[in-house]
């Protein structure tokens, strides 16, 4: 029975990641339906209060450094750690994050992460609102723990 449950979880996980990847690849038809003040620019980010072991389960392309960087950014956002936020994201990413506001800021949970050689996409779901937050991270900067690895953030409703 345990093997069946594990297989089901794996199938569900792959389906969620594939669906999110398709939305992102299609240029965000879903993203375009967000309300006018909910737009989040091309250069911000958010992560969640997800443990590292839980987060690794959701990585398809295994962008561990980028996903961890995004998670730490989201944690800094939840803690309102302005210095850390300014260090981790580009100014335009921070501006977009600020447009979103702080409502339910501690409720973001990573649901997917995937990437290629240059960049990774990390997706979070808000446990209260159901909104999705798509964070784009520069892999090289994240690997080097450099400043401003978070390049963009988009929020969907």
């Amino acid at each position: 029975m345990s093997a069946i449950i594990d297989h089901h979880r794996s199938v569900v996980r792959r389906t969620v990641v594939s669906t999110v990847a398709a939305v992102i690849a299609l240029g965000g038809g879903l993203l375009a339906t967000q309300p006018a003040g909910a737009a989040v620019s091309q250069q911000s980010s958010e992560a969640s209060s997800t443990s590292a072991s839980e987060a690794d389960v959701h990585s398809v392309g295994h962008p561990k450094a980028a996903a961890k960087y995004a998670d730490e950014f989201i944690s800094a956002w939840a803690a309102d750690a302005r210095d850390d936020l300014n260090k981790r994201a580009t100014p335009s990413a921070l501006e977009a994050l600020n447009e979103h506001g702080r409502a339910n800021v501690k409720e973001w949970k990573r649901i997917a992460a995937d990437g290629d050689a240059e960049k990774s996409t990390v997706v979070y779901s808000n446990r209260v609102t159901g909104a999705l937050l798509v964070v784009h991270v520069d892999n090289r900067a994240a690997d080097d723990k450099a400043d401003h690895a978070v390049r963009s953030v988009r929020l969907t409703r």
Side-chain angles (χ1 to χ4, degrees), residues 2 4 17-19 30 32 34 36 41 56 60 69-70 76 80 94 104 115 119 133 157:
S2 177
I4 293 171
V17 171
S18 297
T19 302
L30 175 61
Q34 65 193 21
S41 111
D56 289 345
V60 174
Y69 195 101
D80 200 22
L94 290 174
N104 301 306
K119 63 185 177 306
L133 181 65
R157 290 239 162 232

Side-chain angles (χ1 to χ4, degrees), residues 25-126:
L26 292 173
L30 175 61
L31 300 176
T33 64
Q34 65 193 21
V40 184
S41 111
Q42 287 185 330
Q43 303 227 3
S44 51
S45 139
E46 296 160 51
S48 78
S49 56
T50 309
S51 71
S53 61
E54 180 184 14
D56 289 345
V57 172
H58 301 292
S59 296
V60 174
H62 305 291
K64 291 181 181 179
K68 182 178 179 188
Y69 195 101
D71 288 348
E72 291 169 352
F73 179 76
I74 295 302
S75 294
W77 183 38
D80 200 22
R82 303 309 293 170
D83 289 342
D84 196 20
L85 289 169
N86 290 328
K87 182 178 180 181
R88 290 184 179 277
T90 62
S92 59
L94 290 174
E95 183 179 325
L97 190 64
N98 289 333
E99 286 177 15
H100 172 63
R102 296 193 43 81
N104 301 306
V105 71
K106 295 183 180 186
E107 298 301 327
W108 293 101
K109 177 182 178 183
R110 181 169 13 133
I111 60 169
D114 201 1
D116 58 27
E118 295 179 19
K119 63 185 177 306
S120 292
T121 300
V122 187
V123 182
Y124 299 88
S125 175
N126 189 288

